Amino acid sequence: IIVCENNFHGRTTTIISFSNDEDARKSFGPYTPGFIKIEYDNLDALENTLKNTKNIAGFLVEPIQGEAGVYVPSENYLSKAKALCEKYNVLFIADEVQTGIARTGKLLAVDHENVKPDILILGKALSGGAYPVSAVLANNHIMNVIKPGQHGSTFGGNPIAAAVAIAALTVVKDEKLADKAEYLGLIFRKEIGEFAKTNDLIKSVRGKGLLNAILVNDTEDSSTAWDICIKLRDNGLLAKPTHGNIIRFAPPLVMTEDQLMECIDIIKKTITEFN
Ligand SMILES: Cc1ncc(COP(=O)(O)O)c(C=O)c1O
């Protein structure tokens, strides 16, 4: 399976086997072999690996790398990567645990490029964040490789979890949360982008929909982003750094425009005072 550098797909032993985050890997093991790491957002690296390696089963990718710091790939990266996977008969596997279910302004982040993954992984917002539910989706010719009874877990297929997920998805649809995320995200990036021009501490803002990050003018291993987050907390807003110089903002999709403006005011005030 081909994976990308700086990926985050979770914390199980197989998953951390192909992480390059030493914090996630250290003291665990033995690691699972069978993964090839390539640079994210690099189609040449993908094609070279597909061309030169036998028995590749799949390409596992985050449509936006969340934990890495909200890295949005180049335009058409996903559709071109999917086309390469088709050319070399390899499954395109999208991990939308973080980007999925309206977060980036579409129901799925791959929808921005009209890509249909062969395998789609969902979690987090699938239940509105209220209940542990995750899902792996694929068409029958892939899914039926596993026969009934060959794979399972004690609480898998939990009916309460399924009901919660259906209710959450109904809210996402009825309240048009994808459109809302798209609209509010444009305001967030415009406001913070303009603010960044006037403030030396903020380099830039990036993201899609309501999955955004601000880049702090400091090094990756500094504590500045963390220190800012503590001040944000004191001022009434919770956010978490992904690195010493990146703060990620992933607010509830049900927020109103007034609430977003209040958040933007808190961010501006906190950063201005931090200087
Ligand atoms: C892209 C991605 N995949 C997988 C996971 C792991 O999900 P879980 O914590 O439910 O195992 C996360 C969690 O942040 C994630 O962002």
Side-chain angles (χ1 to χ4, degrees):
I1 295 179
I2 302 174
V3 298
C4 293
E5 278 160 16
N6 301 322
N7 67 71
F8 184 84
H9 297 285
R11 301 271 186 186
T12 55
T13 311
T14 294
I15 292 294
I16 56 142
S17 299
F18 55 82
S19 165
N20 47 341
D21 177 357
E22 272 316 301
D23 278 348
R25 284 167 62 87
K26 72 169 179 264
S27 309
F28 292 99
Y31 301 123
T32 311
F35 298 94
I36 300 171
K37 237 180 282 165
I38 61 165
E39 194 182 21
Y40 187 63
D41 196 17
N42 185 334
L43 292 163
D44 290 339
L46 178 60
E47 177 141 38
N48 284 338
T49 311
L50 289 168
K51 205 186 313 179
N52 297 321
T53 322
K54 279 200 182 116
N55 301 328
I56 301 280
F59 171 51
L60 172 62
V61 66
E62 296 160 85
I64 294 173
Q65 283 193 326
E67 296 299 305
V70 190
Y71 276 100
V72 182
S74 315
E75 219 171 304
N76 299 327
Y77 170 64
L78 300 171
S79 54
K80 286 181 179 163
K82 171 72 164 63
L84 285 174
C85 287
E86 275 169 24
K87 180 171 165 193
Y88 290 93
N89 194 24
V90 159
L91 299 178
F92 180 91
I93 309 164
D95 178 346
E96 292 240 24
V97 168
Q98 189 156 156
T99 52
I101 317 297
R103 170 60 51 194
T104 69
K106 298 266 187 205
L107 186 61
L108 301 173
V110 287
D111 292 342
H112 288 284
E113 295 190 27
N114 293 319
V115 167
K116 191 159 185 228
D118 299 298
I119 302 180
L120 173 70
I121 307 163
L122 295 172
K124 296 191 195 292
L126 187 54
S127 68
Y131 205 82
V133 191
S134 57
V136 176
L137 282 70
N139 283 340
N140 281 347
H141 73 281
I142 296 165
M143 206 55 108
N144 289 345
V145 170
I146 301 174
K147 301 281 177 263
Q150 284 181 340
H151 184 71
S153 75
T154 307
F155 294 116
N158 184 302
I160 297 174
V164 172
I166 290 167
L169 288 172
T170 306
V171 171
V172 168
K173 198 172 158 209
D174 289 352
E175 299 188 15
K176 299 189 170 52
L177 294 188
D179 293 347
K180 205 168 158 206
E182 170 82 18
Y183 171 70
L184 294 180
L186 289 173
I187 297 176
F188 182 84
R189 287 186 298 282
K190 180 172 171 286
E191 290 282 333
I192 301 293
E194 276 166 16
F195 175 68
K197 287 184 205 148
T198 68
N199 188 291
D200 290 343
L201 194 58
I202 302 302
K203 267 203 212 156
S204 59
V205 57
R206 66 177 174 224
K208 251 190 187 152
L210 279 178
L211 181 59
N212 292 289
I214 59 176
L215 308 196
V216 177
N217 211 349
D218 209 329
T219 56
E220 206 178 297
D221 48 9
S222 73
S223 67
T224 310
W226 175 265
D227 296 338
I228 294 172
C229 286
I230 297 294
K231 297 279 183 212
L232 285 170
R233 179 203 63 188
D234 294 344
N235 289 333
L237 187 144
L238 295 177
K240 187 179 166 285
T242 70
H243 290 85
N245 55 356
I246 302 175
I247 304 174
R248 177 183 40 188
F249 295 90
L253 303 184
V254 291
M255 82 190 315
T256 63
E257 187 172 339
D258 283 348
Q259 287 166 336
L260 177 75
M261 294 315 294
E262 201 182 327
C263 293
I264 290 169
D265 285 345
I266 294 174
I267 295 166
K268 287 182 185 171
K269 172 178 176 284
T270 307
I271 288 170
T272 306
E273 284 172 2
F274 197 88
N275 269 336

